[in-house]
Amino acid sequence: MRFNFTSAFGPQTFDTRAFDARVHQADGGASAGDFGDLPEWDLSDLYTGMDAPEVKRDLDWLEGACVSFAEDFEGKLADLDGAGMYDCILRNERISQVAGRLGSFAGLLYYQNTVDGTRAKFFSDIQDKITSFTAPLVFFSLEVNRIPDDVIEDMLQDVDLARYRPIFERMRKMRPYQLSDELERYEHDMSVVGASAWNKLFDETVADLKFNVEGKELGLEAAATLMSDQNRATREASAREVANVLGKNIKTFTRVHNTLAKMGDIEDRWRGMPTPQTSRHLSNDVEPEVVEALRDAVVAAYPKLSHRYYELKRGWLGLDKLQVWDRNAPLPLEDDKAVQWDAARETVMEAYAGFHPRMAELAEPFFTKGWIDAGVKDGKAPGAFAHPTVTDAHPYVMLNYLGKQRDVMTLAHELGHGVHQVLAADQGELLSSTPLTLAETASVFGEMLTFQRMLSQAKTKEERKILLAGKVEDSINTLVRQIAFYDFECKLHEARKGGELTSETINGLWMSVQGESLGPAFEFMDGYETFWSYIPHFVHSPFYVYAYAFGDGLVNALYAAYLESPEGFEDKYFDMLKAGGSKHHSDLLAPFGLDAADPKFWDKGLSMISAMIDELEAMD
């Protein structure tokens, strides 16, 4: 999921993990009280309420600041010296901060309850006003990109402006794809009734879905968790009901995907983007060949990763074939006892402190100051995310905690994001945001620390086996599944260029990547072909999903480097997180001796998962 607000530097976003990346294991009928006292957000650090006078104050300020910014700088950027451009950047940064605070507050309120009409209206109204107020700023990147290189270079000799070099470099990568000033302004103004409106339709449709499983009426989050229940009949019932409800709504989902893919195609053609993925690669500040190397390495590894693991799991479960409701099934010897919230907190905090006390110190306020919203509630958005808000506030974490080991890992993941966002905040509003490829580094590293601590404390062979299997499944969900999702998106957007896609066509594209990625241990029930329809990233953040695979593969390689050379690693790791978006991924990885452009880099990370499967095979 994502919400947008716009500054002179373009849309600012937050994203959740792709919902299918981790299906929570839990009893869909469980209540928040079953797991202890689950925390809720205290959003008063942003605003005390929708009617708080500070909301109007900041909206009024934003409107005036955007007008005066355009009056002072439009048509004059090329004539500025370094000091003048630095003043311009500082004013823009303040605009981004105020817009970000407003947009964050409205979005967080909305995602707490997406079916609340008052919240939905407030969120929509705030988005509309921010879009309208910031329209005068559209000139900025267009005008910067018309300034000759030597003039920009002269400006960047100013010592204060020099730290913003990455902003200018990323902005100027868009030069070949820039439209006229008039068209850019038109697109800006139309954004609230374009992709944003279709995103809301998707969110509201998903939030309103009801699933009847074994006599209980459930939302999507709770229904999907039952596909990980200990009882196979319950897993099958939930999978068939999810397929049934998605099938009844497939026309709406098909319309959403057709429209957004066509909108993307039109914009790409007008901008001259060579591929539908180009804009994502540019926003991620990553080269297409690096993504292609990652994709190819993971696809080549399907047989030794997912195919091999699921064949093991098929044997453990005593089945001739795995069905889709067995993919995330617990092992027969797995304890189904709920993990209390306090125990989850203690596990993650001990793992963080075991790496470095500073990491636990940074995570502590999330638990003590209302920075986490953990419970499952009617209307709450599914999945989990960490949203950085703005650099003069703090991040917020959303979970749907259902008391299972994988929920503990989700907590570790999102807290990793939170720690990263806190550390990067010192870079300021425009440089704190990390490209999505590296944005998953701290989160996956937090999971790895938690997993390794739990593994070291395993008392029996069975406990170790369960932990290893869980980690392998999470890695498959994050690497194999997300690359398969990426391939599905590539196929969908390419097919849409040829005309309107029927539901059956999209279903076929989905199934074309499922057997390839999951392997021969599976057969697929009727109805599974519609499961593409509820994955939010396809709607909100096209092609985002490879960032998860990037992060997982990177962290596996990073953790291997940690084990090989632990001396001084912690300081280099914290320096990497503090850098935020101020450095390219090649510069951030260089101190660790790693290079994402080297295909062998990805093989190193994948071999770590393969070694875990080796150990599992040896246990049989």
Side-chain angles (χ1 to χ4, degrees), residues 251-270:
K251 287 184 178 180
T252 300
F253 293 124
T254 299
R255 171 58 48 216
V256 170
H257 282 70
N258 263 295
T259 303
L260 289 173
K262 186 61 178 178
M263 289 169 64
D265 180 46
I266 292 170
E267 181 169 353
D268 288 343
R269 283 191 286 108
W270 275 82

Side-chain angles (χ1 to χ4, degrees), residues 132-187:
S132 175
F133 295 166
T134 57
L137 310 187
V138 172
F139 80 91
F140 184 83
S141 62
L142 306 177
E143 199 169 312
V144 165
N145 284 346
R146 288 196 290 265
I147 300 174
D149 289 341
D150 59 335
V151 176
I152 287 286
E153 192 58 39
D154 285 344
M155 290 180 184
L156 288 170
Q157 298 312 301
D158 180 87
V159 65
D160 292 319
L161 185 65
R163 69 180 297 266
Y164 291 95
R165 178 180 289 274
I167 293 291
F168 289 94
E169 290 177 346
R170 287 198 286 268
M171 198 186 313
R172 289 169 80 80
K173 286 180 181 178
M174 283 296 298
R175 276 192 294 179
Y177 314 114
Q178 196 164 283
L179 301 174
S180 69
D181 292 11
E182 291 78 10
L183 282 174
E184 293 287 0
R185 287 191 176 94
Y186 175 78
E187 181 171 283

Side-chain angles (χ1 to χ4, degrees), residues 19 50 144 168 188 213 235 239 275 321 333 394 481 602 605:
F19 184 60
M50 289 181 277
V144 165
F168 289 94
H188 175 94
V213 183
R235 297 200 304 270
T275 72
K321 284 284 187 179
L333 45 76
H394 56 78
R481 292 286 284 168
W602 301 112

Side-chain angles (χ1 to χ4, degrees), residues 301-319:
Y302 284 171
K304 68 178 181 181
L305 298 182
S306 50
H307 296 190
R308 189 160 61 114
Y309 173 75
Y310 286 129
E311 183 59 29
L312 274 175
K313 187 167 187 176
R314 184 194 63 75
W316 295 336
L317 296 178
L319 301 170

Side-chain angles (χ1 to χ4, degrees), residues 226 242 255 262 423 481 550 585 594-595 605 609:
L226 291 179
V242 169
R255 171 58 48 216
K262 186 61 178 178
L423 285 169
R481 292 286 284 168
F550 196 107
H585 65 78
L594 300 174
D595 179 8
I609 304 165

Side-chain angles (χ1 to χ4, degrees), residues 517-534:
S517 61
L518 296 179
F522 278 89
E523 65 182 21
F524 301 101
M525 69 169 185
D526 289 341
Y528 180 65
E529 66 274 8
T530 65
F531 275 42
W532 55 270
S533 61
Y534 71 80

